[in-house]
Structures are given as C-alpha cells and as structure tokens.
Amino acid sequence: MLTAAYTAAACRIASLERKKFDAVMASGEYNCAPNAPHGMPRIFEIPDLIGLYLFARLNERGQTVKQAAAVACRVVGQLKNAVNNGLPIPEHVAVAHAMNGASYCCPGTDANPLASQIGGVGSILWTEMWNVANLKAEVQRGLAEEERIAGGADE
C-alpha cells in the first residue's frame, strides 16, 4: 500500500482543490507542507497528508486559511515528532489555546482536559482534541484509492 503521495494526489486525498492549495502555499500561511526542490513535486507522507486533510476540513468549516493552517501545522509537528522518535503516530492530539494567544500541542495521552494552566503558556481558554486515528484512516483510504486508480504517480 502507498504511504506517500505527490501533491496532486495529496490534494485529491484531502479533497482540496489544487489551485486553492497552490494559492495557500503562495500565501505562506501553510508552512508545514513538505519541501521540494524547485520544479519537483512535493511528497506528502502520512503525517503531511493528515495535516492537509485536517487543514481542508477546518477551512471548509469556516476557519480562515491562517487559523486552519496554524492548527493543522501544530498537529503535523506532533505527528512528525512521534515518527522521528521511532514512536507510532498518536491516536489523538490536543491543542490547548491560552488567553494570551499562545498555544500548546501534545499527544492526547498527555493532555488533561480539566487543566486550567500550562507552564510557559498561561491560562487555558480552550482545548481541542483531534482524533488522529480517524484522520489517518481517511488518509489511508485515499491512498488506497490513488493506488487502485493511478498507482499514485500523477505528476
């Protein structure tokens, strides 16, 4: 089974129009997409695809590009941190937002939904918990479909 996708396939998996993705990338707001040498396609691995899928869902539900990108990129950071440390992708990720505008992201197992303070961040205003296991399942279904119809090579 595929475990990565080029940009066009990643956009299909995330149900994000390619032109919108290009515009978002040009704006500089979505800064966690994989890098690629000039003229080469980006290669989105599972954490990247989960982030792009989450970004698209948040944006279509009314969050601005900047807001959706900020949350999605925090989640991607947590997922890549786990993978880079030889750990499995966490099933849940929490993002706590402080009254001063700062935020803190951690695996869901480390989150305390009743906490009112986070050291170094301050008083918590709200906490979001993302079900990464479900997001990953959606991404894997999309990768399987890409493999079925095109073999994943489309750029």
Side-chain angles (χ1 to χ4, degrees), residues 75-153:
V75 170
V76 169
Q78 276 298 308
L79 304 182
K80 286 186 173 187
N81 185 53
V83 170
N84 291 341
N85 285 298
L87 300 170
I89 290 175
E91 291 188 9
H92 297 86
V93 170
V95 181
H97 301 271
M99 290 184 179
N100 64 5
S103 64
Y104 176 78
C105 188
C106 66
T109 53
D110 296 345
N112 177 356
L114 301 177
S116 61
Q117 295 278 327
I118 296 176
V121 175
S123 299
I124 298 172
L125 186 58
W126 83 92
T127 301
E128 302 168 301
M129 182 73 75
W130 300 102
N131 189 319
V132 175
N134 286 345
L135 293 169
K136 183 179 176 185
E138 286 298 313
V139 162
Q140 288 175 322
R141 276 191 278 282
L143 283 167
E145 181 65 10
E146 286 296 319
E147 187 170 42
R148 186 186 72 74
I149 60 174

Side-chain angles (χ1 to χ4, degrees), residues 26-63:
S27 77
E29 297 289 354
Y30 192 84
N31 58 15
C32 60
N35 292 323
H38 183 70
M40 300 296 294
R42 297 173 192 273
I43 299 173
F44 287 75
E45 295 180 344
I46 298 286
D48 305 307
L49 290 165
I50 290 170
L52 190 62
Y53 188 92
L54 177 58
F55 166 78
R57 300 297 72 76
L58 292 172
N59 188 237
E60 75 185 9
R61 286 167 174 78
Q63 288 195 12

Side-chain angles (χ1 to χ4, degrees), residues 24 29-32 55 58 63-74:
V24 166
E29 297 289 354
Y30 192 84
N31 58 15
C32 60
F55 166 78
L58 292 172
Q63 288 195 12
T64 66
V65 166
K66 184 176 184 174
Q67 292 167 330
V71 171
C73 289
R74 293 300 301 264

